[in-house]
Amino acid sequence: MNDAAPNAAPQTFYLKDYKPFGYEVESVKLTFQLSPNATKVHSAIRFNPKADAEDNRFFLHGEQLSLISAKIDGTPVTARLVDGGLECDVPRTSFLWEAEVEIDPAANTALEGLYMSNGMYCTQCEAEGFRKITYYPDRPDVMSTFTVRIEGDEPVMLSNGNPTGAGEGWAEWHDPWPKPAYLFALVAGDLVNHPGSFTTKSGKDVELNIWVRPGDEGKCAFGMEALKKSMKWDEDVYGLEYDLDLFNIVAVDDFNMGAMENKGLNIFNSSCVLASPETSTDANFERIEAIIAHEYFHNWTGNRITCRDWFQLCLKEGLTVFRDAQFTADMRSEPVKRIEDVIALRARQFPEDGGPLAHPPRPEEFQEINNFYTATVYEKGAEVIGMLKRLVGDDNYYKALNLYFERHDGQACTIEDWLKVFEDATGRDLSQFKLWYSQAGTPRVKVTEDYADGTYTLTFEQSTPPTPGQPEKAPRVIPMAVGLLSPNGDEVRGTQVLELTEAKQSFTFDGLASKPVPSILREFSAPVILERETTNSERAFLLAHDTDPFNRWEAGNALAKEVRVAMVLDGAAPDAAYLDALEKLVRDDEQDPAFRALVLSPPSQSDIAQTLHERGHTPDPQTIYDAAETFTQTLAQQLETSLPRLYAATTVEGLYVPDADGAGKRALNSRILSLLTRLDGGEQAARQYASADNMTQQYAALAALMKAEKGEAQSKAFFEQWQDDRLVMDKWFALQIACAAPEATAATAKELTQHPLFSMKNPNRFRAVMGALAGNHAGFHHASGAGYQLLAENLIALDSVNPQTTARMCAAFQTWKRYDSKRQAQIQAELERILATSGLSRDTHEMVSRMLSA
Ligand SMILES: [Zn+2]
């Protein structure tokens, strides 16, 4: 099945065209008769015409449905099938619409609507999947209660809400909370549950279950604990309680996204819920905890208060990402979480904001909404909330949130509603702040300074480069958290938030004994690019003395970048002062191991390419790769005498516990091991591989060995040991490509696409291979163009199977204008080849067109 795009230009939808639906949906009753190739869905929906409707056209969305019959108040009617759905003449009073349709879940490889994954039925309806289940006003502002009957011979049959009855071959569910259709879910299959329970603060007992395929029961305990912690945290921090008697999570192998917050029945990509020490790394554990929290938090920010239309997607996603980041910071380490988030933002969102796919957190037009589940909507959306909280202060933030839940519970809302509660709760005018939602692009903030007679002046100039459709930008409100240090390293001014509102603005600090060293953009208080002329010695000073952990890391990171850039541009040797500073920090056992691990992690090669591009140079991926190799080798040699001691000191002994403390130590230990492996021929890594009793250490040893081209035996052994574990095999596939030398990357990836365990139908496996290819910077951008060609071929092949995943992965080409004309021509040819594919999906067509037209 395929969303075949006609040769004519696909339809574009605009925010300004929003019109409410002309009918209220009072109740929805659905009956499913499950059958892999011929599931029948009967719907009985009570519609009430709205007296004040602007538009009373009765249009129901529907795609890939076979309509068997339609009735109104029991009388057969003839519906007119039109593009994207059906129309019908209906009474101007309350009426019962009934329809029977047939669908083919087994043939549904797009994984939207009702589909099958390893013999199990499951659904994915966000954003517009429900229209592939039955005819319905499939838009988030239409909310209703749902009653569902499932008939079939599956041992477990689940839907939203609470169970209301079950017998041989059937089960019934009722969800008392009105919801939009995108939150509908159904799961049926041979599943086993890992049970748990939670008592809410008002004393209500909630039954909890994680449902998995038989054999995976042993991988649910961590997820269950994470769920309970999330429920407790949302009560403690936001005062929000769970509102049903039951909360189910189901793990599904074939899933386009990470997880989905369907009311009372969250469906998870199995990679985002199944965990065990033997099969999951520390990073997996942290991610699973965060995603379980994220989906749970949606119960209020998303489900009880939803979006009026899909242009408002960041209303639920930005806020919920912000909430899950707060949760992770509370459960683990606040500075480490902030640093990790900024690394991710710069790796994923900044390139998006600076390239042909740039769009505001609230876009104003789209062709395919699936293409807007982006880093901008999610991560920048969360940054905007963080800025708002910083500007109004913590107390006002929670006051505004309480008002939001009080005023809008049960409603489908807009960004205007959201900002209004802040204005009403604080009296603050947010009209300028709102530009963050409508303007695309990452603001550049240039800082200059002046010091005379004890007065220090900081002058900020902000500008945002043009983005597609937005040549000119107005100045935004930018909260700039600043502290000042004296030259001896003492903090002479604690953090204060300067509010930038104009294109150019100065702030003064009086009564200073000497010219201070500024620490600007503490905690990364705004998603901007700071431009300030400074020296490596000042960066080293901040790395040693800044009281703000984020800015300490940032100073080290900026220093690392400068050293790398100098190596690339001038063929310079790695800066000795920087190597000394790194050595000192790594050997300082007083410092948090997680922090040391982060400082030891080099800026990504893609990040160096972006930096060179911003400074007007054309990045050469091979030169960037060579500089990275030289730097790491030199660092390993400099640390040679300390490495064995550091390795021993950071090795975590005893029972594996996936907590922040242990994870921080293991992260540092893995960095040390990879350096050591460059010097000892892999002896220590081979010992660690042989003795590891958890995946974090096993994987770190394997990665170090493979990177040094000494891991052939271990890679074979790893495959033998884990070939039946789908999630571990994804790691095995990805690692071989990630560790390949630039000239061998495409060939390695190509060979893996021929492997019997490679599959186009499983998004995780496809991403493991093609995502790793795109993520190996020097390999993907190798001058031969083989990386581009291989990705394009595979995207073309995937498009007819799974348009949504294809379109998302096209974004690997979004930075193409950074590179030289030969590479640009190669990429352009591949993009044009994709676009010329006959029957190309609407999803992929939109993404590729946007990249080509910019
Ligand atoms: Zn979400």
Side-chain angles (χ1 to χ4, degrees):
M1 296 209 303
N2 182 11
D3 282 7
N7 288 333
Q11 189 184 356
T12 300
F13 300 91
Y14 298 94
L15 170 60
K16 61 178 165 54
D17 291 345
Y18 173 82
K19 263 192 224 146
F21 187 53
Y23 301 81
E24 256 161 33
V25 179
E26 188 181 307
S27 62
V28 178
K29 281 191 182 141
L30 300 171
T31 303
F32 290 81
Q33 290 169 293
L34 297 176
S35 169
N37 289 107
T39 290
K40 288 206 169 67
V41 185
H42 180 269
S43 60
I45 306 166
R46 178 148 298 276
F47 287 99
N48 300 322
K50 289 181 188 164
D52 58 349
E54 277 176 61
D55 178 1
N56 54 25
R57 177 187 179 213
F58 186 77
F59 170 78
L60 303 180
H61 296 101
E63 286 176 22
Q64 297 159 20
L65 305 172
S66 303
L67 180 63
I68 298 168
S69 66
K71 288 182 209 165
I72 288 179
D73 292 331
T75 305
V77 291
T78 308
R80 296 180 295 278
L81 296 183
V82 294
D83 190 26
L86 63 71
E87 288 174 342
C88 194
D89 299 325
V90 298
R92 292 305 302 153
T93 54
S94 174
F95 63 92
L96 185 71
W97 162 267
E98 286 177 272
E100 186 161 33
V101 302
E102 189 178 290
I103 53 179
D104 187 349
N108 181 353
T109 58
L111 315 182
E112 295 168 315
L114 178 68
Y115 65 93
M116 301 201 74
S117 168
N118 287 323
M120 150 186 176
Y121 294 87
C122 64
T123 55
Q124 171 58 33
C125 293
E126 186 177 358
E128 298 179 335
F130 193 76
R131 63 189 64 182
K132 295 178 177 177
I133 293 175
T134 191
Y135 289 99
Y136 194 74
D138 185 9
R139 36 188 293 167
D141 59 344
V142 174
M143 298 171 86
S144 182
T145 57
F146 281 64
T147 303
V148 176
R149 179 181 168 92
I150 311 168
E151 297 173 6
D153 45 18
E154 306 298 325
V156 175
M157 298 191 284
L158 310 170
S159 190
N160 314 86
N162 297 316
T164 49
E168 188 64 36
W170 64 276
E172 286 182 354
W173 293 81
H174 176 69
D175 183 358
W177 298 102
K179 65 167 177 286
Y182 81 85
L183 291 172
F184 168 81
L186 178 153
V187 170
D190 181 13
L191 297 165
V192 289
N193 69 321
H194 176 101
S197 67
F198 182 80
T199 305
T200 66
K201 65 176 181 178
S202 62
K204 193 170 74 152
D205 290 322
V206 183
E207 180 189 331
L208 312 174
N209 289 299
I210 298 182
W211 296 92
V212 296
R213 296 205 310 184
D216 285 336
E217 305 90 312
K219 296 180 181 171
C220 301
F222 180 81
M224 180 57 78
E225 287 314 302
L227 175 60
K228 291 185 206 169
K229 282 191 222 168
S230 310
M231 295 176 88
K232 176 80 169 61
W233 185 90
D234 217 14
E235 291 183 350
D236 292 348
V237 177
Y238 282 84
L240 299 172
E241 267 187 69
Y242 187 61
D243 55 5
L244 289 166
D245 304 333
L246 176 64
F247 189 88
N248 282 319
I249 286 177
V250 184
V252 174
D253 287 336
D254 302 297
F255 203 71
N256 282 330
M257 310 278 285
M260 177 63 210
E261 70 264 22
N262 316 297
K263 184 80 187 189
L265 178 55
N266 287 2
I267 298 181
F268 273 62
N269 186 321
S270 52
S271 71
C272 298
V273 57
L274 300 181
S276 75
E278 297 73 32
T279 58
S280 312
T281 62
D282 287 321
N284 296 147
F285 278 104
E286 181 178 335
R287 178 154 185 264
I288 287 167
E289 185 177 80
I291 294 180
I292 286 182
H294 178 97
E295 306 308 333
Y296 175 73
F297 297 156
H298 267 314
N299 190 54
W300 277 93
T301 51
N303 300 3
R304 290 281 288 254
I305 303 179
T306 191
C307 305
R308 188 193 71 178
D309 51 69
W310 291 120
F311 299 101
Q312 323 289 333
L313 180 59
C314 74
L315 176 71
K316 77 177 178 79
E317 294 305 342
L319 178 55
T320 307
V321 170
F322 180 72
R323 274 152 49 70
D324 84 54
Q326 284 183 296
F327 169 78
T328 298
D330 283 356
M331 294 298 125
R332 291 167 180 261
S333 152
E334 192 171 348
V336 169
K337 172 63 176 163
R338 189 65 189 136
I339 293 166
E340 288 172 350
D341 281 353
V342 174
I343 292 172
L345 189 79
R346 285 177 174 156
R348 304 197 321 113
Q349 201 276 326
F350 279 22
E352 188 168 273
D353 236 356
L357 300 176
H359 56 277
R362 181 172 69 178
E364 282 164 25
E365 58 175 87
F366 62 74
Q367 291 174 357
E368 173 50 64
I369 185 57
N370 285 334
N371 290 335
F372 286 85
Y373 284 73
T374 59
T376 298
V377 168
Y378 279 66
E379 275 78 32
K380 190 171 182 178
E383 291 296 321
V384 174
I385 311 263
M387 286 189 286
L388 194 51
K389 181 163 177 278
R390 198 176 291 274
L391 288 168
V392 302
D394 285 2
D395 289 352
N396 276 331
Y397 170 80
Y398 289 105
K399 206 168 118 192
L401 265 286
N402 287 338
L403 182 59
Y404 182 61
F405 296 120
E406 200 184 292
R407 186 182 285 178
H408 294 297
D409 187 12
Q411 295 179 3
C413 295
T414 60
I415 292 301
E416 284 72 16
D417 296 326
W418 164 252
L419 290 175
K420 185 81 168 65
V421 297
F422 277 82
E423 292 189 326
D424 290 352
T426 66
R428 206 184 154 104
D429 176 0
L430 291 170
S431 44
Q432 188 184 4
F433 184 81
K434 196 179 162 192
L435 292 173
W436 279 104
Y437 285 103
S438 58
Q439 289 188 354
T442 309
R444 306 280 197 275
V445 180
K446 196 175 155 204
V447 192
T448 50
E449 62 196 308
D450 191 47
Y451 177 77
D453 304 328
T455 298
Y456 180 67
T457 305
L458 281 173
T459 301
F460 298 88
E461 285 174 76
Q462 59 161 303
S463 65
T464 305
T467 51
Q470 294 187 336
E472 303 284 339
K473 318 274 165 131
R476 307 184 203 190
V477 183
I478 300 177
M480 191 60 74
V482 172
L484 301 179
L485 303 176
S486 76
N488 65 14
D490 296 335
E491 188 165 79
V492 288
R493 288 290 184 279
T495 305
Q496 79 183 82
V497 179
L498 311 177
E499 281 186 40
L500 277 51
T501 54
E502 293 159 34
K504 185 172 181 180
Q505 215 168 344
S506 295
F507 298 86
T508 57
F509 303 83
D510 296 321
L512 293 160
S514 56
K515 185 181 178 217
V517 179
S519 165
I520 305 174
L521 201 63
R522 284 184 159 182
E523 290 178 22
F524 202 67
S525 59
V528 301
I529 294 173
L530 200 61
E531 293 171 349
R532 175 169 170 267
E533 294 215 354
T534 178
T535 60
N536 280 353
S537 66
E538 191 187 285
R539 292 189 180 103
F541 172 87
L542 288 170
L543 174 61
H545 298 289
D546 205 325
T547 56
D548 179 64
F550 175 81
N551 260 6
R552 281 190 61 209
W553 169 80
E554 179 77 323
N557 183 55
L559 199 47
K561 258 196 220 175
E562 290 312 317
V563 170
R564 236 42 83 89
V565 165
M567 290 175 72
V568 169
L569 290 181
D570 319 330
D575 183 76
Y578 174 57
L579 286 167
D580 289 344
L582 263 191
E583 179 173 8
K584 196 166 158 236
L585 199 113
V586 173
R587 292 170 61 169
D588 183 354
D589 294 336
E590 299 292 304
Q591 301 283 343
D592 177 15
F595 183 78
R596 285 190 277 164
L598 284 166
V599 175
L600 260 188
S601 304
S604 73
Q605 292 172 40
S606 173
D607 197 359
I608 300 296
Q610 180 64 25
T611 304
L612 287 164
H613 171 69
E614 279 161 15
R615 296 182 189 178
H617 304 283
T618 303
D620 175 46
Q622 183 68 42
T623 313
I624 294 172
Y625 173 86
D626 293 340
E629 284 298 301
T630 305
F631 183 86
T632 311
Q633 188 66 30
T634 313
L635 177 65
Q637 277 153 1
Q638 166 130 357
L639 289 170
E640 185 164 11
T641 53
S642 327
L643 286 174
R645 179 197 71 79
L646 281 167
Y647 176 77
T650 55
T651 300
V652 186
E653 308 279 3
L655 190 69
Y656 173 89
V657 183
D659 58 2
D661 233 30
K665 281 197 188 127
R666 282 184 292 270
L668 179 57
N669 185 254
S670 302
R671 292 291 310 139
I672 304 282
L673 182 66
S674 72
L675 292 170
L676 191 53
T677 305
R678 287 176 175 262
L679 304 178
D680 77 350
E683 268 179 52
Q684 187 61 57
R687 275 199 293 277
Q688 177 170 317
Y689 185 87
S691 66
D693 64 357
N694 62 77
M695 180 52 67
T696 307
Q697 287 174 323
Q698 188 181 19
Y699 181 82
L702 181 62
L705 287 165
M706 286 177 63
K707 182 73 197 143
E709 296 183 4
K710 302 219 179 296
E712 208 174 316
Q714 285 82 1
S715 173
K716 264 202 192 97
F718 192 89
F719 179 83
E720 291 298 321
Q721 186 182 355
W722 295 116
Q723 55 184 312
D724 296 327
D725 189 302
R726 304 168 302 277
L727 299 175
V728 180
M729 272 298 99
D730 289 336
K731 298 184 201 306
W732 181 80
F733 274 89
L735 190 59
Q736 294 177 73
I737 302 162
C739 291
E743 64 281 5
T745 305
T748 305
K750 188 164 190 164
E751 205 180 303
L752 287 169
T753 61
Q754 316 294 323
H755 194 281
L757 293 182
F758 178 76
S759 162
M760 288 264 168
K761 290 190 176 167
N762 179 258
N764 289 0
R765 188 59 45 87
F766 188 86
R767 279 190 290 253
V769 174
M770 289 299 138
L773 170 65
N776 184 329
H777 184 256
F780 181 53
H781 294 285
H782 188 262
S784 65
Y788 305 147
Q789 204 184 339
L790 183 66
L791 181 62
E793 272 164 18
N794 278 276
L795 291 175
I796 289 168
L798 184 67
D799 190 62
S800 58
V801 178
N802 185 333
Q804 194 179 333
T805 295
T806 309
R808 280 206 191 123
M809 293 203 65
C810 284
F813 289 115
Q814 71 177 319
T815 55
W816 68 293
K817 293 275 170 85
R818 270 185 201 164
Y819 300 97
D820 55 80
S821 55
K822 188 178 159 217
R823 285 185 173 85
Q824 287 195 26
Q826 287 167 335
I827 296 177
Q828 186 172 348
E830 297 303 336
L831 289 172
E832 282 166 357
R833 182 155 75 107
I834 297 173
L835 201 61
T837 307
S838 79
L840 192 72
S841 68
R842 180 173 68 213
D843 307 54
T844 305
H845 187 277
E846 180 185 21
M847 290 291 273
V848 175
S849 311
R850 281 163 68 200
M851 284 190 281
L852 279 172
S853 68

